[in-house]
Amino acid sequence: MHLRGQVTAPVVVITGASAGVGRALSRAYAARGARIGLIARGRDGLEATREEVERAGGQAIVCAADVANAADVEAAARTVEQAFGVPDIWINN
């Protein structure tokens, strides 16, 4: 993204980020320096993904949430926005 001539890392939110496709997407965006909100139900898997994101050059915040619960999703969105700003990309996986 460009902001007044400067390139900034995108803010990305990925659901299902603790395993499989969501985890792979997290690593791919991290390699591009993204700031990522990681959402899934399992905190242990999310923490492992967070560590991978940081090793790959990104930043991450863990948001344990059940995407079937609208209040959980809203709370996770607020957490990501407070940490990194408004999401540029939201991937529902």
Side-chain angles (χ1 to χ4, degrees):
M1 297 203 51
H2 295 279
L3 180 64
R4 293 190 180 140
Q6 295 182 353
V7 176
T8 59
V11 175
V12 181
V13 175
I14 301 173
T15 67
S18 62
V21 171
R23 196 165 182 167
L25 285 166
S26 299
R27 288 191 304 263
Y29 276 103
R32 291 162 179 81
R35 297 168 291 162
I36 308 169
L38 305 169
I39 300 176
R41 288 176 294 178
R43 185 164 290 280
D44 291 343
L46 287 171
E47 289 295 342
T49 302
R50 181 189 55 77
E51 290 172 8
E52 291 177 0
V53 164
E54 290 173 355
R55 278 195 303 270
Q59 294 178 313
I61 187 163
V62 167
C63 301
D66 182 348
V67 298
N69 182 315
D72 280 5
V73 175
E74 289 289 331
R78 281 192 303 276
T79 298
V80 172
E81 188 171 349
Q82 289 171 353
F84 298 136
V86 176
D88 298 298
I89 301 166
W90 188 293
I91 300 171
N92 288 319
N93 168 53

PDB file of all heavy atoms in Angstrom, residues 40-69:
ATOM      1  N   ALA A  40      -8.448 -18.120  14.857  1.00  0.00           N
ATOM      2  CA  ALA A  40      -8.881 -19.522  14.894  1.00  0.00           C
ATOM      3  C   ALA A  40      -9.317 -19.816  16.320  1.00  0.00           C
ATOM      4  O   ALA A  40      -9.160 -18.965  17.210  1.00  0.00           O
ATOM      5  CB  ALA A  40      -7.759 -20.466  14.459  1.00  0.00           C
ATOM      6  N   ARG A  41      -9.855 -20.988  16.547  1.00  0.00           N
ATOM      7  CA  ARG A  41     -10.293 -21.330  17.903  1.00  0.00           C
ATOM      8  C   ARG A  41      -9.144 -21.767  18.796  1.00  0.00           C
ATOM      9  O   ARG A  41      -9.140 -21.474  19.980  1.00  0.00           O
ATOM     10  CB  ARG A  41     -11.341 -22.431  17.846  1.00  0.00           C
ATOM     11  CG  ARG A  41     -12.661 -21.936  17.306  1.00  0.00           C
ATOM     12  CD  ARG A  41     -13.639 -23.051  17.180  1.00  0.00           C
ATOM     13  NE  ARG A  41     -13.131 -23.970  16.153  1.00  0.00           N
ATOM     14  CZ  ARG A  41     -13.702 -25.088  15.784  1.00  0.00           C
ATOM     15  NH1 ARG A  41     -14.806 -25.471  16.355  1.00  0.00           N
ATOM     16  NH2 ARG A  41     -13.194 -25.837  14.837  1.00  0.00           N
ATOM     17  N   GLY A  42      -8.158 -22.467  18.243  1.00  0.00           N
ATOM     18  CA  GLY A  42      -7.094 -23.055  19.058  1.00  0.00           C
ATOM     19  C   GLY A  42      -5.904 -22.134  19.281  1.00  0.00           C
ATOM     20  O   GLY A  42      -5.171 -21.824  18.352  1.00  0.00           O
ATOM     21  N   ARG A  43      -5.724 -21.702  20.520  1.00  0.00           N
ATOM     22  CA  ARG A  43      -4.642 -20.776  20.845  1.00  0.00           C
ATOM     23  C   ARG A  43      -3.258 -21.380  20.582  1.00  0.00           C
ATOM     24  O   ARG A  43      -2.355 -20.691  20.112  1.00  0.00           O
ATOM     25  CB  ARG A  43      -4.750 -20.311  22.297  1.00  0.00           C
ATOM     26  CG  ARG A  43      -3.702 -19.256  22.640  1.00  0.00           C
ATOM     27  CD  ARG A  43      -3.999 -18.510  23.905  1.00  0.00           C
ATOM     28  NE  ARG A  43      -5.134 -17.618  23.809  1.00  0.00           N
ATOM     29  CZ  ARG A  43      -5.092 -16.403  23.268  1.00  0.00           C
ATOM     30  NH1 ARG A  43      -3.984 -15.946  22.748  1.00  0.00           N
ATOM     31  NH2 ARG A  43      -6.168 -15.650  23.249  1.00  0.00           N
ATOM     32  N   ASP A  44      -3.053 -22.676  20.868  1.00  0.00           N
ATOM     33  CA  ASP A  44      -1.730 -23.276  20.670  1.00  0.00           C
ATOM     34  C   ASP A  44      -1.301 -23.215  19.210  1.00  0.00           C
ATOM     35  O   ASP A  44      -0.172 -22.834  18.895  1.00  0.00           O
ATOM     36  CB  ASP A  44      -1.713 -24.726  21.160  1.00  0.00           C
ATOM     37  CG  ASP A  44      -1.817 -24.846  22.669  1.00  0.00           C
ATOM     38  OD1 ASP A  44      -1.574 -23.837  23.381  1.00  0.00           O
ATOM     39  OD2 ASP A  44      -2.138 -25.954  23.150  1.00  0.00           O
ATOM     40  N   GLY A  45      -2.203 -23.569  18.308  1.00  0.00           N
ATOM     41  CA  GLY A  45      -1.889 -23.497  16.879  1.00  0.00           C
ATOM     42  C   GLY A  45      -1.656 -22.073  16.421  1.00  0.00           C
ATOM     43  O   GLY A  45      -0.769 -21.801  15.599  1.00  0.00           O
ATOM     44  N   LEU A  46      -2.428 -21.141  16.957  1.00  0.00           N
ATOM     45  CA  LEU A  46      -2.246 -19.725  16.611  1.00  0.00           C
ATOM     46  C   LEU A  46      -0.889 -19.209  17.077  1.00  0.00           C
ATOM     47  O   LEU A  46      -0.218 -18.467  16.353  1.00  0.00           O
ATOM     48  CB  LEU A  46      -3.358 -18.879  17.220  1.00  0.00           C
ATOM     49  CG  LEU A  46      -4.731 -19.005  16.576  1.00  0.00           C
ATOM     50  CD1 LEU A  46      -5.777 -18.286  17.411  1.00  0.00           C
ATOM     51  CD2 LEU A  46      -4.707 -18.466  15.158  1.00  0.00           C
ATOM     52  N   GLU A  47      -0.478 -19.603  18.268  1.00  0.00           N
ATOM     53  CA  GLU A  47       0.829 -19.163  18.776  1.00  0.00           C
ATOM     54  C   GLU A  47       1.955 -19.720  17.913  1.00  0.00           C
ATOM     55  O   GLU A  47       2.936 -19.031  17.639  1.00  0.00           O
ATOM     56  CB  GLU A  47       1.006 -19.572  20.237  1.00  0.00           C
ATOM     57  CG  GLU A  47       0.138 -18.791  21.207  1.00  0.00           C
ATOM     58  CD  GLU A  47       0.474 -17.309  21.288  1.00  0.00           C
ATOM     59  OE1 GLU A  47       1.569 -16.889  20.866  1.00  0.00           O
ATOM     60  OE2 GLU A  47      -0.390 -16.540  21.782  1.00  0.00           O
ATOM     61  N   ALA A  48       1.811 -20.967  17.471  1.00  0.00           N
ATOM     62  CA  ALA A  48       2.820 -21.554  16.579  1.00  0.00           C
ATOM     63  C   ALA A  48       2.868 -20.799  15.254  1.00  0.00           C
ATOM     64  O   ALA A  48       3.953 -20.520  14.721  1.00  0.00           O
ATOM     65  CB  ALA A  48       2.521 -23.035  16.354  1.00  0.00           C
ATOM     66  N   THR A  49       1.709 -20.443  14.719  1.00  0.00           N
ATOM     67  CA  THR A  49       1.665 -19.667  13.479  1.00  0.00           C
ATOM     68  C   THR A  49       2.287 -18.295  13.696  1.00  0.00           C
ATOM     69  O   THR A  49       3.045 -17.813  12.845  1.00  0.00           O
ATOM     70  CB  THR A  49       0.213 -19.523  12.970  1.00  0.00           C
ATOM     71  OG1 THR A  49      -0.345 -20.824  12.773  1.00  0.00           O
ATOM     72  CG2 THR A  49       0.167 -18.741  11.667  1.00  0.00           C
ATOM     73  N   ARG A  50       1.993 -17.661  14.829  1.00  0.00           N
ATOM     74  CA  ARG A  50       2.577 -16.348  15.132  1.00  0.00           C
ATOM     75  C   ARG A  50       4.099 -16.414  15.110  1.00  0.00           C
ATOM     76  O   ARG A  50       4.770 -15.559  14.535  1.00  0.00           O
ATOM     77  CB  ARG A  50       2.105 -15.833  16.492  1.00  0.00           C
ATOM     78  CG  ARG A  50       2.668 -14.438  16.836  1.00  0.00           C
ATOM     79  CD  ARG A  50       2.372 -14.041  18.267  1.00  0.00           C
ATOM     80  NE  ARG A  50       2.843 -15.014  19.236  1.00  0.00           N
ATOM     81  CZ  ARG A  50       4.131 -15.163  19.611  1.00  0.00           C
ATOM     82  NH1 ARG A  50       5.069 -14.418  19.078  1.00  0.00           N
ATOM     83  NH2 ARG A  50       4.456 -16.071  20.507  1.00  0.00           N
ATOM     84  N   GLU A  51       4.651 -17.459  15.703  1.00  0.00           N
ATOM     85  CA  GLU A  51       6.107 -17.616  15.710  1.00  0.00           C
ATOM     86  C   GLU A  51       6.648 -17.760  14.290  1.00  0.00           C
ATOM     87  O   GLU A  51       7.678 -17.165  13.948  1.00  0.00           O
ATOM     88  CB  GLU A  51       6.501 -18.814  16.562  1.00  0.00           C
ATOM     89  CG  GLU A  51       6.267 -18.591  18.048  1.00  0.00           C
ATOM     90  CD  GLU A  51       6.482 -19.840  18.885  1.00  0.00           C
ATOM     91  OE1 GLU A  51       6.967 -20.861  18.342  1.00  0.00           O
ATOM     92  OE2 GLU A  51       6.165 -19.793  20.090  1.00  0.00           O
ATOM     93  N   GLU A  52       5.960 -18.524  13.453  1.00  0.00           N
ATOM     94  CA  GLU A  52       6.383 -18.694  12.055  1.00  0.00           C
ATOM     95  C   GLU A  52       6.310 -17.370  11.299  1.00  0.00           C
ATOM     96  O   GLU A  52       7.206 -17.042  10.513  1.00  0.00           O
ATOM     97  CB  GLU A  52       5.514 -19.737  11.358  1.00  0.00           C
ATOM     98  CG  GLU A  52       5.748 -21.141  11.856  1.00  0.00           C
ATOM     99  CD  GLU A  52       4.829 -22.158  11.202  1.00  0.00           C
ATOM    100  OE1 GLU A  52       3.999 -21.774  10.342  1.00  0.00           O
ATOM    101  OE2 GLU A  52       4.936 -23.342  11.556  1.00  0.00           O
ATOM    102  N   VAL A  53       5.253 -16.611  11.528  1.00  0.00           N
ATOM    103  CA  VAL A  53       5.087 -15.310  10.873  1.00  0.00           C
ATOM    104  C   VAL A  53       6.242 -14.391  11.254  1.00  0.00           C
ATOM    105  O   VAL A  53       6.852 -13.743  10.389  1.00  0.00           O
ATOM    106  CB  VAL A  53       3.725 -14.673  11.256  1.00  0.00           C
ATOM    107  CG1 VAL A  53       3.691 -13.188  10.923  1.00  0.00           C
ATOM    108  CG2 VAL A  53       2.586 -15.405  10.571  1.00  0.00           C
ATOM    109  N   GLU A  54       6.571 -14.336  12.517  1.00  0.00           N
ATOM    110  CA  GLU A  54       7.640 -13.446  12.967  1.00  0.00           C
ATOM    111  C   GLU A  54       8.999 -13.888  12.436  1.00  0.00           C
ATOM    112  O   GLU A  54       9.818 -13.056  12.047  1.00  0.00           O
ATOM    113  CB  GLU A  54       7.608 -13.337  14.482  1.00  0.00           C
ATOM    114  CG  GLU A  54       6.370 -12.562  14.937  1.00  0.00           C
ATOM    115  CD  GLU A  54       6.158 -12.531  16.437  1.00  0.00           C
ATOM    116  OE1 GLU A  54       6.931 -13.194  17.187  1.00  0.00           O
ATOM    117  OE2 GLU A  54       5.217 -11.844  16.872  1.00  0.00           O
ATOM    118  N   ARG A  55       9.231 -15.202  12.352  1.00  0.00           N
ATOM    119  CA  ARG A  55      10.492 -15.693  11.771  1.00  0.00           C
ATOM    120  C   ARG A  55      10.584 -15.345  10.289  1.00  0.00           C
ATOM    121  O   ARG A  55      11.669 -15.137   9.757  1.00  0.00           O
ATOM    122  CB  ARG A  55      10.621 -17.199  11.955  1.00  0.00           C
ATOM    123  CG  ARG A  55      11.132 -17.609  13.312  1.00  0.00           C
ATOM    124  CD  ARG A  55      11.595 -19.058  13.335  1.00  0.00           C
ATOM    125  NE  ARG A  55      10.576 -19.999  12.936  1.00  0.00           N
ATOM    126  CZ  ARG A  55       9.707 -20.580  13.762  1.00  0.00           C
ATOM    127  NH1 ARG A  55       9.746 -20.323  15.037  1.00  0.00           N
ATOM    128  NH2 ARG A  55       8.825 -21.445  13.300  1.00  0.00           N
ATOM    129  N   ALA A  56       9.434 -15.275   9.614  1.00  0.00           N
ATOM    130  CA  ALA A  56       9.408 -14.979   8.176  1.00  0.00           C
ATOM    131  C   ALA A  56       9.464 -13.486   7.877  1.00  0.00           C
ATOM    132  O   ALA A  56       9.494 -13.090   6.722  1.00  0.00           O
ATOM    133  CB  ALA A  56       8.161 -15.594   7.550  1.00  0.00           C
ATOM    134  N   GLY A  57       9.444 -12.639   8.912  1.00  0.00           N
ATOM    135  CA  GLY A  57       9.569 -11.204   8.689  1.00  0.00           C
ATOM    136  C   GLY A  57       8.297 -10.398   8.844  1.00  0.00           C
ATOM    137  O   GLY A  57       8.289  -9.195   8.605  1.00  0.00           O
ATOM    138  N   GLY A  58       7.209 -11.032   9.238  1.00  0.00           N
ATOM    139  CA  GLY A  58       5.955 -10.311   9.447  1.00  0.00           C
ATOM    140  C   GLY A  58       5.719 -10.029  10.918  1.00  0.00           C
ATOM    141  O   GLY A  58       6.541 -10.364  11.769  1.00  0.00           O
ATOM    142  N   GLN A  59       4.605  -9.404  11.194  1.00  0.00           N
ATOM    143  CA  GLN A  59       4.152  -9.180  12.566  1.00  0.00           C
ATOM    144  C   GLN A  59       2.793  -9.849  12.679  1.00  0.00           C
ATOM    145  O   GLN A  59       2.041  -9.904  11.709  1.00  0.00           O
ATOM    146  CB  GLN A  59       3.986  -7.695  12.864  1.00  0.00           C
ATOM    147  CG  GLN A  59       5.260  -6.910  12.842  1.00  0.00           C
ATOM    148  CD  GLN A  59       4.970  -5.442  13.099  1.00  0.00           C
ATOM    149  OE1 GLN A  59       4.070  -4.868  12.499  1.00  0.00           O
ATOM    150  NE2 GLN A  59       5.733  -4.844  13.988  1.00  0.00           N
ATOM    151  N   ALA A  60       2.478 -10.352  13.873  1.00  0.00           N
ATOM    152  CA  ALA A  60       1.196 -11.033  14.031  1.00  0.00           C
ATOM    153  C   ALA A  60       0.612 -10.783  15.401  1.00  0.00           C
ATOM    154  O   ALA A  60       1.338 -10.565  16.374  1.00  0.00           O
ATOM    155  CB  ALA A  60       1.358 -12.532  13.806  1.00  0.00           C
ATOM    156  N   ILE A  61      -0.708 -10.828  15.438  1.00  0.00           N
ATOM    157  CA  ILE A  61      -1.444 -10.780  16.691  1.00  0.00           C
ATOM    158  C   ILE A  61      -2.410 -11.964  16.674  1.00  0.00           C
ATOM    159  O   ILE A  61      -3.024 -12.259  15.651  1.00  0.00           O
ATOM    160  CB  ILE A  61      -2.180  -9.443  16.893  1.00  0.00           C
ATOM    161  CG1 ILE A  61      -2.776  -9.395  18.284  1.00  0.00           C
ATOM    162  CG2 ILE A  61      -3.207  -9.197  15.830  1.00  0.00           C
ATOM    163  CD1 ILE A  61      -3.166  -8.010  18.726  1.00  0.00           C
ATOM    164  N   VAL A  62      -2.463 -12.657  17.797  1.00  0.00           N
ATOM    165  CA  VAL A  62      -3.305 -13.830  17.938  1.00  0.00           C
ATOM    166  C   VAL A  62      -4.674 -13.417  18.458  1.00  0.00           C
ATOM    167  O   VAL A  62      -4.782 -12.682  19.440  1.00  0.00           O
ATOM    168  CB  VAL A  62      -2.643 -14.840  18.906  1.00  0.00           C
ATOM    169  CG1 VAL A  62      -3.606 -15.922  19.331  1.00  0.00           C
ATOM    170  CG2 VAL A  62      -1.395 -15.432  18.266  1.00  0.00           C
ATOM    171  N   CYS A  63      -5.714 -13.897  17.796  1.00  0.00           N
ATOM    172  CA  CYS A  63      -7.093 -13.639  18.206  1.00  0.00           C
ATOM    173  C   CYS A  63      -7.838 -14.972  18.240  1.00  0.00           C
ATOM    174  O   CYS A  63      -8.328 -15.436  17.208  1.00  0.00           O
ATOM    175  CB  CYS A  63      -7.785 -12.698  17.224  1.00  0.00           C
ATOM    176  SG  CYS A  63      -6.999 -11.102  17.024  1.00  0.00           S
ATOM    177  N   ALA A  64      -7.882 -15.593  19.404  1.00  0.00           N
ATOM    178  CA  ALA A  64      -8.635 -16.839  19.533  1.00  0.00           C
ATOM    179  C   ALA A  64     -10.115 -16.503  19.455  1.00  0.00           C
ATOM    180  O   ALA A  64     -10.623 -15.713  20.247  1.00  0.00           O
ATOM    181  CB  ALA A  64      -8.293 -17.533  20.842  1.00  0.00           C
ATOM    182  N   ALA A  65     -10.792 -17.066  18.460  1.00  0.00           N
ATOM    183  CA  ALA A  65     -12.203 -16.752  18.243  1.00  0.00           C
ATOM    184  C   ALA A  65     -12.853 -17.862  17.438  1.00  0.00           C
ATOM    185  O   ALA A  65     -12.203 -18.535  16.635  1.00  0.00           O
ATOM    186  CB  ALA A  65     -12.334 -15.429  17.487  1.00  0.00           C
ATOM    187  N   ASP A  66     -14.145 -18.016  17.653  1.00  0.00           N
ATOM    188  CA  ASP A  66     -14.953 -18.941  16.875  1.00  0.00           C
ATOM    189  C   ASP A  66     -15.682 -18.112  15.816  1.00  0.00           C
ATOM    190  O   ASP A  66     -16.514 -17.266  16.156  1.00  0.00           O
ATOM    191  CB  ASP A  66     -15.960 -19.639  17.794  1.00  0.00           C
ATOM    192  CG  ASP A  66     -16.825 -20.663  17.077  1.00  0.00           C
ATOM    193  OD1 ASP A  66     -16.820 -20.692  15.822  1.00  0.00           O
ATOM    194  OD2 ASP A  66     -17.509 -21.424  17.775  1.00  0.00           O
ATOM    195  N   VAL A  67     -15.368 -18.336  14.536  1.00  0.00           N
ATOM    196  CA  VAL A  67     -15.961 -17.506  13.483  1.00  0.00           C
ATOM    197  C   VAL A  67     -17.457 -17.743  13.318  1.00  0.00           C
ATOM    198  O   VAL A  67     -18.125 -16.967  12.633  1.00  0.00           O
ATOM    199  CB  VAL A  67     -15.233 -17.663  12.129  1.00  0.00           C
ATOM    200  CG1 VAL A  67     -13.793 -17.205  12.234  1.00  0.00           C
ATOM    201  CG2 VAL A  67     -15.318 -19.085  11.604  1.00  0.00           C
ATOM    202  N   ALA A  68     -17.987 -18.760  13.960  1.00  0.00           N
ATOM    203  CA  ALA A  68     -19.436 -18.972  13.940  1.00  0.00           C
ATOM    204  C   ALA A  68     -20.143 -18.050  14.933  1.00  0.00           C
ATOM    205  O   ALA A  68     -21.365 -17.959  14.923  1.00  0.00           O
ATOM    206  CB  ALA A  68     -19.760 -20.426  14.265  1.00  0.00           C
ATOM    207  N   ASN A  69     -19.374 -17.352  15.748  1.00  0.00           N
ATOM    208  CA  ASN A  69     -19.916 -16.440  16.755  1.00  0.00           C
ATOM    209  C   ASN A  69     -19.597 -15.003  16.330  1.00  0.00           C
ATOM    210  O   ASN A  69     -18.443 -14.579  16.356  1.00  0.00           O
ATOM    211  CB  ASN A  69     -19.292 -16.759  18.115  1.00  0.00           C
ATOM    212  CG  ASN A  69     -19.817 -15.894  19.225  1.00  0.00           C
ATOM    213  OD1 ASN A  69     -19.943 -14.679  19.085  1.00  0.00           O
ATOM    214  ND2 ASN A  69     -20.108 -16.518  20.350  1.00  0.00           N
TER     215      ASN A  69
END
